[in-house]
Amino acid sequence: MSRPHQYISLVTSFPHLGKLFTRKEVPISQFRLKQRLSMLEDEHARLLRELVEITAWAGVAKYDEDVEVIARAKQVMEDLRDYPDLQHLVGTRMETRTLIAALRRRHAGQETAGDIAAWGYGRWCGRIKSNWSDPAFGLGHFMSWIAEAHRLMRAGDHIALERLTLTEVFRQLDHYGALHEFDFEAVAIYVLRWVIVERWSRYGEEAARTRLQALVSAALRGNETPEPIAGGSDFLSDRTPSLEGAS
Amino acid sequence: MNEFVVALGWFGLYAPVALGAIGSAWGCALGGSAAIGAMLDSDGGYGRFIGVSLMPSSQVIYGIVIMFSLQQSSVDAANGAALFGIGVLSGFTMMITGIRQGEVLASAIHASKAKPEIFGISLAPAAVLEGFSVFALVFALVLAGSIPS
């Protein structure tokens, strides 16, 4: 298939994902999605794998250090040099992660940003460092979600925090998605959206599994009633590296 | 010089068909690709997807009509320039509208798959482009009548 027609067929074969948080399950399974993506050329398939690896949390979880994630992100951006919008998307995502990481570090009691170059990425590192005590790191006038994330983190409302960050990431994807309809970027943005929707759909499943395990344990122990689930507190737990936060 | 004008005349005579065919082929390929992709994600309504994807085929038909209206008993220095002007410009119109119609049809198919209720209204831009092709056809026919034979 020639390239423009290839992307038209591929993009129109994807089901509509709808708005975030409105679906309980993904409209296309991973198996089917991979099957459709086999229409991609080898080079584009490789770039897409790299893009998903660096933007999805599951992809960066294998790195022990934040520096490794940052180095990998820079390498992926270099590989995406022919697709500036995807480069911006990766950059924006890394910046979002940096902001979440900063919020988490501050929430954990860190008094200064420290060596932010070792764990942060992007345009806002200097601003974060110099406005460490400000709830929104001095960025609240054009990124109002940071102050809201700070409030939710302090309140321990991890589900709302996750919703907020995913909404912000989805908004970034919508912004770049509006610029592309039938090209590689459109396919990549669809897949990134799918990853978020799929991740959110799994949260419910995981929470249900945890709840079931708690009920089974309680039953085995006797009639003790298990603690109610406090909004899936593991979602953004401190056990995760600081760059975690936005799928 | 006369031979050159005659050559241009023949060029203009066939241009609406050739350029119209390019536009139709390109447009149908764009719309058809979208229809094929949409069929992978639909359980029915395949006919309407394929049906609308064939909309750009009208441009080559208009091109054929223009060619017949431009046809003269002989192409010479007196009518060569007129044939060239009307034929090439109307041919380009058919080509561009055919390609662009294919693009908007692909978008319409994609959008109506997610929201089936907009299927009809999503074809409006393609219909407008069809209207522009018809304008080019009608006025080519009008002008063809005033070419000196």
Side-chain angles (χ1 to χ4, degrees):
Chain A
M1 243 191 286
S2 64
R3 286 183 60 180
H5 300 166
Q6 173 191 17
Y7 289 113
I8 290 175
S9 290
L10 185 54
V11 171
T12 53
S13 75
F14 294 147
H16 186 53
L17 287 176
K19 290 180 182 167
L20 189 58
F21 312 126
T22 56
R23 285 178 184 267
K24 288 190 175 171
E25 54 189 39
V26 283
I28 181 170
S29 68
Q30 189 174 12
F31 175 75
R32 284 271 178 223
L33 185 62
K34 279 185 176 173
Q35 209 175 33
R36 304 261 163 94
L37 291 173
S38 64
M39 284 191 219
L40 285 174
E41 293 165 8
D42 291 346
E43 175 62 10
H44 281 168
R46 184 184 68 79
L47 288 175
L48 184 61
R49 267 197 304 275
E50 285 189 0
L51 183 65
V52 171
E53 181 205 353
I54 201 61
T55 51
W57 167 238
V60 293
K62 65 185 178 192
Y63 297 106
D64 294 328
E65 300 292 334
D66 296 333
V67 196
E68 294 175 65
V69 178
I70 294 165
R72 181 68 184 136
K74 287 178 177 167
Q75 193 187 338
V76 171
M77 287 173 75
E78 174 58 25
D79 291 346
L80 290 168
R81 58 189 165 276
D82 293 334
Y83 304 98
D85 282 341
L86 294 181
Q87 278 185 323
H88 292 151
L89 199 53
V90 173
T92 311
R93 184 73 69 88
M94 291 298 290
E95 286 169 355
T96 305
R97 281 180 173 162
T98 299
L99 288 163
I100 296 289
L103 285 170
R104 187 172 297 113
R105 280 169 180 261
R106 191 173 58 187
H107 184 65
Q110 198 169 311
E111 290 179 358
T112 64
D115 183 14
I116 196 167
W119 57 267
Y121 174 92
R123 294 165 288 177
W124 316 126
C125 288
R127 197 73 85 88
I128 292 169
K129 194 167 186 173
S130 54
N131 295 282
W132 186 253
S133 56
D134 183 76
F137 302 112
L139 301 164
H141 55 289
F142 66 102
M143 285 198 275
S144 55
W145 68 270
I146 304 173
E148 178 65 7
H150 168 74
R151 191 187 65 76
L152 294 170
M153 195 174 278
R154 286 190 67 177
D157 192 346
H158 301 295
I159 289 185
L161 178 58
E162 185 71 349
R163 281 181 76 107
L164 182 71
T165 51
L166 290 181
T167 303
E168 173 59 19
V169 171
F170 225 68
R171 192 196 58 74
Q172 292 163 6
L173 289 171
D174 282 344
H175 171 74
Y176 288 104
L179 307 173
H180 300 277
E181 193 173 21
F182 297 119
D183 52 13
F184 173 61
E185 287 93 329
V187 173
I189 289 168
Y190 181 89
V191 173
L192 295 181
R193 276 195 185 123
W194 180 90
V195 168
I196 293 175
V197 173
E198 195 267 347
R199 177 177 163 178
W200 185 257
S201 72
R202 271 192 294 115
Y203 284 165
E205 187 187 318
E206 284 168 4
R209 194 179 298 126
T210 310
R211 178 73 176 160
L212 180 64
Q213 279 173 352
L215 286 168
V216 169
S217 304
L220 290 173
R221 281 198 304 271
N223 288 333
E224 188 186 342
T225 307
E227 288 293 316
I229 296 171
S233 57
D234 280 346
F235 294 165
L236 289 169
S237 75
D238 290 334
R239 285 180 289 138
T240 55
S242 56
L243 275 175
E244 198 262 358
S247 173
Chain B
M1 183 63 185
N2 282 356
E3 288 79 5
F4 181 65
V5 176
V6 170
L8 288 181
W10 281 105
F11 188 85
L13 192 58
Y14 192 63
V17 179
L19 296 175
I22 291 170
S24 291
W26 201 321
C28 286
L30 293 171
S33 299
I36 291 165
M39 285 192 285
L40 278 174
D41 184 42
S42 309
D43 296 325
Y46 306 137
R48 66 178 189 168
F49 290 140
I50 289 293
V52 297
S53 74
L54 300 178
M55 222 169 142
S57 52
S58 57
Q59 272 75 9
V60 69
I61 298 169
Y62 299 155
I64 292 168
V65 173
I66 293 170
M67 185 198 75
F68 279 124
S69 71
L70 292 177
Q71 205 171 17
Q72 307 291 318
S73 53
S74 68
V75 178
D76 51 34
N79 58 21
L83 292 174
F84 177 78
I86 298 169
V88 169
L89 291 177
S90 60
F92 266 114
T93 307
M94 298 305 159
M95 186 175 77
I96 301 296
T97 53
I99 294 169
R100 293 295 183 190
Q101 205 173 41
E103 289 173 358
V104 294
L105 285 170
S107 299
I109 289 169
H110 184 45
S112 62
K113 192 169 58 68
K115 210 172 177 184
E117 65 271 23
I118 64 163
F119 182 72
I121 195 74
S122 69
L123 298 179
V128 171
L129 286 168
E130 189 72 24
F132 295 145
S133 298
V134 173
F135 285 158
L137 165 70
V138 169
F139 290 102
L141 297 182
V142 170
L143 287 177
S146 56
I147 295 174
S149 51

